[in-house]
Amino acid sequence: LGPVHGQEGEGIAGLVNLIRVAETGKDHRGKEWAGLKSSMDQCRVIIIPCGNPDGRKRCPYDGFVGLPGEIMTKYGQGTHSDGTLWRWPEAKSLHPMKGDVALLGAYYNNDGINMRHDDFFLPMPEETRAILKVARDEAPDMTVSLHSHNYPPCILQPAHVPYFMKERVAVLANRLNDHYKNQGLPYMADGWQSKAQVDDEKFPPRGSFNLISALHHISGTMSFTFECCHGTVDDRIKMSPVDYDTIVDIQLNLYQEMFNYLLANRLCWE
């Protein structure tokens, strides 16, 4: 599932190159991905390149490599009426994003809906309904929702899913992180562990019920979020510079590791 946040174009670039690999065995740079092509040939692959065309169209930047993170934040999450940035997580607190808004960020469609945090029992926009219909009709073994942030790439743990699914996502997350390290790509240092967490016993649950949770419960899929890096510059984050070539490699290596896991564990949910 391509980005539901329109400023996070890295996922679109990755999926466009994945389609190219499926067609020719090479990405748009001419780099060969024989293993990835072979894996795709063994599977039925459903690709939604962009989950939020409205937000993507309003974003004035194709990418944010080398730019300050504040620029991405402004055009991604928008501004208050006084021009100050909404920022995360406050940008998720007003739904729909209407009223105290000067610049509507690319997080949202033109009606101010953030598909990541919609009303999933009665979805508000057509985009959410279409995404959930694909999941329901196809019942995919595995689903990734593509996002981006200012940090190294990583898979995030889902919240409202069975514990055995969390365990499987943790295995894939750590395997992917080790793969990035071995390939010389950005990775989460300090022994990144995406642990299968149990909700707080005193006040469950900790995480919100979001699109990832909805995708699982409507189809049974192993769903999770992948956060790519924008390549932005932020003095608070210790990270080597990332260029657009690196972003494409990050994306395509994600898909290879997903296929590797899936082909070894297909339909073996316990």
Side-chain angles (χ1 to χ4, degrees):
L1 172 59
V4 294
H5 295 156
Q7 84 281 11
E8 298 172 359
E10 294 74 21
I12 298 174
L15 290 177
V16 168
N17 277 277
L18 182 63
I19 293 170
R20 183 74 167 184
V21 170
E23 295 173 338
T24 70
K26 298 179 180 180
D27 63 25
H28 279 283
R29 303 167 298 181
K31 183 176 179 178
E32 187 169 349
W33 296 84
L36 183 53
K37 174 68 164 65
S38 175
S39 297
M40 294 188 75
D41 288 343
Q42 299 176 63
C43 299
R44 175 170 170 79
V45 185
I46 310 299
I47 297 174
I48 303 174
C50 181
N52 182 0
D54 287 353
R56 180 66 253 169
K57 185 176 181 179
R58 287 201 318 275
C59 183
Y61 290 89
D62 290 336
F64 295 94
V65 167
L67 296 176
E70 293 285 274
I71 293 179
M72 184 277 299
T73 300
K74 175 181 178 179
Y75 289 100
Q77 296 159 0
T79 67
H80 293 273
S81 298
D82 63 4
T84 57
L85 303 184
W86 267 94
R87 299 188 182 281
W88 181 93
E90 288 77 10
K92 300 181 179 183
S93 65
L94 181 61
H95 184 85
M97 180 58 75
K98 295 181 178 180
D100 183 18
V101 179
L103 174 68
L104 180 62
Y107 247 42
Y108 318 94
N109 71 1
N110 288 345
D111 293 322
I113 305 297
N114 180 352
M115 274 75 75
R116 171 81 170 181
H117 298 286
D118 197 5
D119 180 355
F120 297 105
F121 296 101
L122 188 64
M124 301 177 76
E126 291 295 333
E127 295 94 330
T128 306
R129 285 194 284 270
I131 290 167
L132 294 179
K133 185 179 187 303
V134 171
R136 183 178 64 247
D137 292 349
E138 296 290 341
D141 292 344
M142 181 184 289
T143 303
V144 60
S145 177
L146 298 171
H147 289 259
S148 300
H149 59 187
N150 294 326
Y151 299 87
C154 63
I155 287 175
L156 302 183
Q157 264 290 348
H160 294 249
V161 301
Y163 188 73
F164 78 88
M165 279 293 188
K166 295 185 179 187
E167 290 180 312
R168 290 181 178 277
V169 172
V171 169
L172 177 60
N174 291 306
R175 188 178 297 176
L176 177 65
N177 196 59
D178 290 341
H179 177 75
Y180 282 152
K181 181 178 180 181
N182 294 335
Q183 293 294 313
L185 293 168
Y187 67 98
M188 286 290 188
D190 301 324
W192 168 253
Q193 295 290 321
S194 181
K195 296 181 180 178
Q197 298 175 341
V198 176
D199 291 324
D200 189 336
E201 294 179 358
K202 294 182 180 179
F203 189 74
R206 293 180 181 180
S208 63
F209 189 100
N210 58 28
L211 180 59
I212 302 303
S213 310
L215 287 168
H216 168 75
H217 286 286
I218 204 168
S219 69
T221 188
M222 174 182 167
S223 54
F224 55 87
T225 297
F226 175 74
E227 294 276 5
C228 189
C229 38
H230 286 293
T232 51
V233 177
D234 191 328
D235 293 337
R236 300 168 299 174
I237 302 171
K238 297 182 184 291
M239 181 176 169
S240 300
V242 172
D243 58 18
Y244 290 115
D245 274 331
T246 303
I247 288 173
V248 174
D249 286 337
I250 288 170
Q251 291 278 324
L252 294 180
N253 275 278
L254 161 69
Y255 303 132
Q256 182 63 80
E257 286 301 297
M258 286 175 59
F259 281 117
N260 289 347
Y261 183 92
L262 179 61
L263 290 170
N265 297 279
R266 175 175 283 177
L267 299 179
C268 289
W269 310 138
E270 299 172 355

PDB file of all heavy atoms in Angstrom, residues 25 62 102 205 227 240:
ATOM      1  N   GLY A  25      12.815  -7.100 -14.728  1.00  0.00           N
ATOM      2  CA  GLY A  25      13.890  -7.633 -13.904  1.00  0.00           C
ATOM      3  C   GLY A  25      14.878  -6.576 -13.464  1.00  0.00           C
ATOM      4  O   GLY A  25      15.803  -6.863 -12.714  1.00  0.00           O
ATOM      5  N   ASP A  62       8.873  16.903  -4.632  1.00  0.00           N
ATOM      6  CA  ASP A  62       8.915  15.495  -5.038  1.00  0.00           C
ATOM      7  C   ASP A  62       9.648  14.651  -4.003  1.00  0.00           C
ATOM      8  O   ASP A  62       9.407  13.453  -3.879  1.00  0.00           O
ATOM      9  CB  ASP A  62       9.612  15.363  -6.397  1.00  0.00           C
ATOM     10  CG  ASP A  62       8.778  15.930  -7.533  1.00  0.00           C
ATOM     11  OD1 ASP A  62       7.544  16.000  -7.379  1.00  0.00           O
ATOM     12  OD2 ASP A  62       9.356  16.321  -8.557  1.00  0.00           O
ATOM     13  N   ALA A 102      -4.333  26.863   8.294  1.00  0.00           N
ATOM     14  CA  ALA A 102      -3.962  27.792   7.220  1.00  0.00           C
ATOM     15  C   ALA A 102      -3.485  27.003   6.009  1.00  0.00           C
ATOM     16  O   ALA A 102      -4.007  27.159   4.906  1.00  0.00           O
ATOM     17  CB  ALA A 102      -2.883  28.760   7.691  1.00  0.00           C
ATOM     18  N   PRO A 205      -5.586  -0.995  25.542  1.00  0.00           N
ATOM     19  CA  PRO A 205      -4.261  -1.198  24.968  1.00  0.00           C
ATOM     20  C   PRO A 205      -3.487   0.124  24.901  1.00  0.00           C
ATOM     21  O   PRO A 205      -4.075   1.187  25.091  1.00  0.00           O
ATOM     22  CB  PRO A 205      -4.583  -1.698  23.560  1.00  0.00           C
ATOM     23  CG  PRO A 205      -5.826  -0.923  23.225  1.00  0.00           C
ATOM     24  CD  PRO A 205      -6.606  -0.769  24.512  1.00  0.00           C
ATOM     25  N   GLU A 227       8.631   2.369   7.786  1.00  0.00           N
ATOM     26  CA  GLU A 227       9.067   3.760   7.740  1.00  0.00           C
ATOM     27  C   GLU A 227      10.392   3.849   6.998  1.00  0.00           C
ATOM     28  O   GLU A 227      11.408   3.328   7.457  1.00  0.00           O
ATOM     29  CB  GLU A 227       9.239   4.318   9.158  1.00  0.00           C
ATOM     30  CG  GLU A 227       7.954   4.426   9.966  1.00  0.00           C
ATOM     31  CD  GLU A 227       7.184   5.711   9.695  1.00  0.00           C
ATOM     32  OE1 GLU A 227       7.597   6.482   8.798  1.00  0.00           O
ATOM     33  OE2 GLU A 227       6.168   5.938  10.373  1.00  0.00           O
ATOM     34  N   SER A 240      23.899   9.130   8.718  1.00  0.00           N
ATOM     35  CA  SER A 240      24.667   9.480   7.523  1.00  0.00           C
ATOM     36  C   SER A 240      23.722  10.018   6.456  1.00  0.00           C
ATOM     37  O   SER A 240      22.546   9.639   6.391  1.00  0.00           O
ATOM     38  CB  SER A 240      25.412   8.251   6.986  1.00  0.00           C
ATOM     39  OG  SER A 240      26.304   7.750   7.950  1.00  0.00           O
TER      40      SER A 240
END
